[in-house]
Structure formats: structure tokens, C-alpha cells
Amino acid sequence: MIKKMVSLVAVSMAIGCFAGEKGYAATNPPQQEINRMLTEEAFKKGIPPEIVKAVAIQESSWRQFDEKGDPLVIDGGIGIMQVTQPHNFNEDLLKNDIKYNIEKGVEILDQKFRNFDAILPKLNDMDRDVLENWYFALLAYNGKKQVNSPTKQDDGSVNKGAYQEEVYTKVDYYNNFMGVSPLPFPFKPEDFTYTGAPNYNLLFNKMEYDVPDHLLHVTKHKFEKDDIVLSAPAAQFRGVPSTVKTIDPIRSLPKGKREAITILDPGNQAGAPQYSSLVYDETYKYDSTVKMLDRQYVWYKTLLNDGKTTAYTASGELIPIGKRLHGFDRMETAAAVSREGWESADTVVIAFGYDFPDALAGTPLAYHLDAPLLLSYYDSLRDATKKEIKRLGAKNAVLLGSSELIKPTVEQELSDLDITTITRYGGEDRFETAAKIGQQLPKKDTAVLAYGFNFPDALSIASYAAQNGYPIYLTRETGIPDVTANELKNYENIIVVGDKQLLPDSILSKVSPKKMIRYGGETRFDTNAAIVNGLYNGIDQAYLARGYEFPDALAGAVLAAKQGVPILLSNDKNVPPSIRSTILKQKIDYFGFLGGQNVLDVQNEIGQIVQEIKY
């Protein structure tokens, strides 16, 4: 049962002042300090802070000590997390050190999730960041008793009085009504065995549950720099991380309207450097009467959709729709893509950054080598590229293109970066280079043929080709070059990308595969849509790139392949109709935006499209 919150006495912020000592009364820390401690310990154990903070409310209303200043002990439970013995913990510290008590309570919850001392049903893929996936761990934290059965034994309805159900109600209430309650699990009475009275053990008959992703919620405490999110409906964007009424919001949205905003960095450190954009609520600085217990959500400093206004917004109702991968130029963007997809890599693939054919033909090879694709000048590497190679710890490099395109001076720079093996695949022209690259792939029965003097069609299929190990060969619109035709004779199936006006049937007479399939449309966007709808099914993520410029998308194609998703093409400031239709048909609700907002400014429209998806 939830206890009534006791008014707190103003005390020093030093943790040592909160710990009780024998013979002396102790006081509870200010609620904003408790919020910080619970959040930091949750991060350390990889548990959503929303879950940990709600457990602490359910157990003690965020109290370590009672009204008399004595350690809070209820039915054998001790302190803020109501830790019970027997555990191999220091009981004196459990009673008198709130930090220790939080640490041990969070440790127990982590053990329940890991099935450390009991076998519990598995939820979805058990992603630790998904709030709903902690359902059975929460049940076990309080006890695998019939009183906590997800369903009522008599009529099979939801047991709203179960411990874990009450915790999720509090997660929802104290985090801007983020939507986790009611829960989406299809529990049935026959899933459980009841062994007797309410406090008897509950047994599990069904050990796996799977719920569609769109019904689940990821923690809102872990957004990072360049994450793109939808604001709360009718959001009030503020100049300080607080809803204090004496300070007017910078801007307010109309009723029901959301806006795509970008998480900025750095913000106030929240004890977890990897989430340095996270900021705690500061209402207590302006109004000492406000209960900070009610403000468990956090704030983020964001860039609003106009691309220039910065403001704070609360976390609870934010909906992630993507992440922007970008840099000062195409070289830095490629390095940003590499950081997103690779913690380390033995090999890097390097292509000339001011033309597209070698990079696109090299996408399947880079994927095969599990290597990020970085970009080069004619005669040198950008500092950002060098820094990324060092971070990856690469020892091998593959250059795409002849020494006329990427000069030997680049090889010297790679050697200076401790690259020990440098391999080059280059021919007299783009067609021969593509052929040489294709020869490095394991033999398959299918190849891709794309127009060699424009990029969108090859880019549209590059991720799919890479995932399947299909080489990408290039052609002229007037006829297939001999070097390409000779390679295509080795394949039973050919995928042609581009409509018949671009690549007429007549030029295909040089090759006679057993099967040939074409994906094409009136525009580059229509061709892109035809490829994605024809070759993918059931995806919920994609990368988004400009349809009239290639550099930002070059490196992105390898990352898309690594993640098993396609690249969608867009105009700079609006989403083409065929791409909009593809997003709705495929139910794509998360995007990697390749390039800065100055070159790809469609995040707000993407957010609106995502809200139209029918599941």
C-alpha cells in the first residue's frame, strides 16, 4: 500500500547529512536529490529510470526515514526501496544510508530481470530499455504470489491491484502520462496456476509473450544528441526546465499539435555522461512549495523545427522518430555514420567523396567486410576521417578507384595511421572499377545492373544488394559496356533498376539471364518506392537521404545494409507522394536522417506521416 508522503524538512544537500546515525534522528533528502540518486543508480544497472523511481514510490513514497527520523521499516522491508532480508547486505547501511539502500534495491530488480533466482516469462526481445519488458521482474520484486497475478482468478479480468500494475500506473502518472498504462499484454487466466490463498506462490504456464513494437514504450531518459523526437501535443516550449507559472513559455503549440524537435547537447550532466542532454526539473528553485515527487520526468534542451530556436521540453510524451547523422561536410557525415554503426572495425573502405559510382558499387563489398565506408579527397584525408580510422582501430584499408582518382598520397596517410594492409580496386573507368569490385564478392546467382551516370537508382537498391551479397554493375543508357556484359554472363538472375526510358530493353540484348526483373518508375522517387515495396516487407525503419544529391547517402547505404533496412529518397523540404505512400504501407516509424537540417529539412512532415500510420 502506498503511504502518504510526509513533508520534508529543508536540509543540506550533502549526502552525509541524510544518513542516520545511532542515537540521532535522520531526515530524508530533498525530493530533487532523491530523483537524481534514483536516476543515476538506474543508469548504472541499465534499468529505465522511470521504473526504478516508480518502484521507490510504490515501496516508500521516496522515504528512507519515518516522521520520527527512524529508519523506515514496514513488514520487514527496509528504507526507500523496502529491501527485505535474507540478503547478503549490511542491514545497518540498509537502514541508515539511502544511497546504499537504493543501490541494493536496484540490484535486486536487476537480478529479477536476469532470472537470477527465478525463471520468469520472457517478454518480447527483453530489450532492457523497453518499459513493458520489466513487467515480470517487477512482479517478482514484490513476490511471485497469487495476489500479484496479472489476471483475476475468478473472471480473468486485469488484476489492477497487482503490485506491478500499480507500479506502471505510477510510471504513467509521474511521467506526463506517457501511455504505458493500461498495459498491452494478452494475459489469460490459464497462463497461471494458482496454488492456494492470495499469498501462495503463483506459477507460470506460458513462458513467452510478444507484443507489437508500436504498443511498447522505450525509456524517455536516454535520448542523445541529434535524436529527433515528436513533442507532446500542445507542447509549451520553455526557457528553463520547469513549468513554473511565473515564467512564460517561449512558444506554445496549438491543441493536439506535435512538432519534430532535435535533442541538443550538452545539457546539464545527469550523472550519466552518455546522456548528457538530460536535465532535471528545476521548479524547486522558483517555488519551494511544489512537490518534486510529482516531477519524475526529465527535460531536454532542444532545437525547435524552425532550426534556430532552442528551448526545454519535458520527456514524458516525447515520441522518437529518428536520429540525424551529419557533419560539417560529406567527409564528416560519413564519419558520423561510421560512429553510429561500428564500435570498431578491422577494415575501412574508402571512396572518392565527390563522385558516386565507386562508392555505390563498393557498398556490397564494404558490407561483406563489415567495414564502414569513409570518403576521401583526391589527394588527402580529412582530419575527421583520420580520427575515425584511429577510433575504429582499423589495420586494413580498401581503396575504391584508380590512382588517378585517389592519389598515392592517400595511401601514405593511411600508412601513417598504422594501416598495415592497403588494397585498391580500380579500373580505367567506373564500369571496370565496378567489375573489379564485384569479383571480390562470394559468388551468387544474382547481380544488379544500374545506370552509371546518375546515383538515385543504384542508391535505392544498394542496401538490399549488399545484404544479399549481390554485386552492383553499371551501364550506359546507350548500351552495356563490354566489361559489364562479361561479368553479367556469370549470373542467372539480373535485377535492373531504372525504367525503360532510362535503360531500354534493347540494350539488354548483350545478356541473356534465366530471369530478369526490373524496378522502375516515372521519377527517381517512384523507382525508389518500387524497389522498397518490391524487395522489403515488414520493416519499421529506414534511412532518409536527399534524392538530388548523393554525398551524405554514400556511407549511409552500408549502415542501412548492416541494419537490414532500405534507403528512402526525399526532396530537400518535402516528402514525395510515392515515398509518403511507402512509409504508410510499410509502417516505417523510425528514420536515420542523412545530412544536416540545412540539406534535409523534412523531419516535421515525417513526424506527421508517422502519426497517420494505421497498425
Side-chain angles (χ1 to χ4, degrees), residues 110-177:
D110 176 59
Q111 290 174 352
K112 301 301 182 185
F113 187 87
R114 296 174 184 269
N115 283 326
F116 184 80
D117 59 358
I119 302 301
L120 300 171
K122 178 182 177 182
L123 298 172
N124 309 303
D125 60 358
M126 294 301 286
D127 183 339
R128 294 176 67 93
D129 287 339
V130 174
L131 302 182
E132 288 83 355
N133 287 353
W134 289 83
Y135 186 92
F136 286 108
L138 289 170
L139 183 156
Y141 186 87
N142 186 253
K144 293 189 300 176
K145 306 297 183 182
Q146 288 179 188
V147 68
N148 289 328
S149 171
T151 62
K152 293 182 180 179
Q153 186 175 1
D154 53 357
D155 62 6
S157 62
V158 176
N159 182 13
K160 295 182 180 179
Y163 176 87
Q164 66 278 5
E165 292 281 344
E166 292 188 352
V167 169
Y168 279 108
T169 299
K170 290 173 176 58
V171 169
D172 204 48
Y173 178 80
Y174 291 108
N175 288 277
N176 314 104
F177 296 97

Side-chain angles (χ1 to χ4, degrees), residues 529-566:
I531 289 169
V532 173
N533 289 320
L535 297 175
Y536 290 88
N537 184 41
I539 53 172
D540 58 7
Q541 300 185 33
Y543 282 86
L544 200 67
R546 289 187 293 171
Y548 288 98
E549 296 288 344
F550 62 83
D552 293 336
L554 292 181
V558 185
L559 179 57
K562 186 179 177 72
Q563 297 179 350
V565 301

Side-chain angles (χ1 to χ4, degrees), residues 4 6 27 55 65 105 109 138-139 166 185 193 252-253 274 308 323 332 334 421-422 460 534-535 585 597:
K4 185 177 179 181
V6 179
T27 55
V55 167
F65 306 105
L109 183 57
L138 289 170
L139 183 156
E166 292 188 352
F185 296 112
T193 293
S252 299
L253 296 180
Q274 68 270 41
K308 58 183 179 181
K323 184 179 184 69
E332 287 195 3
T421 303
I422 301 173
S460 295
L535 297 175
K585 178 180 179 179
Q597 187 172 340

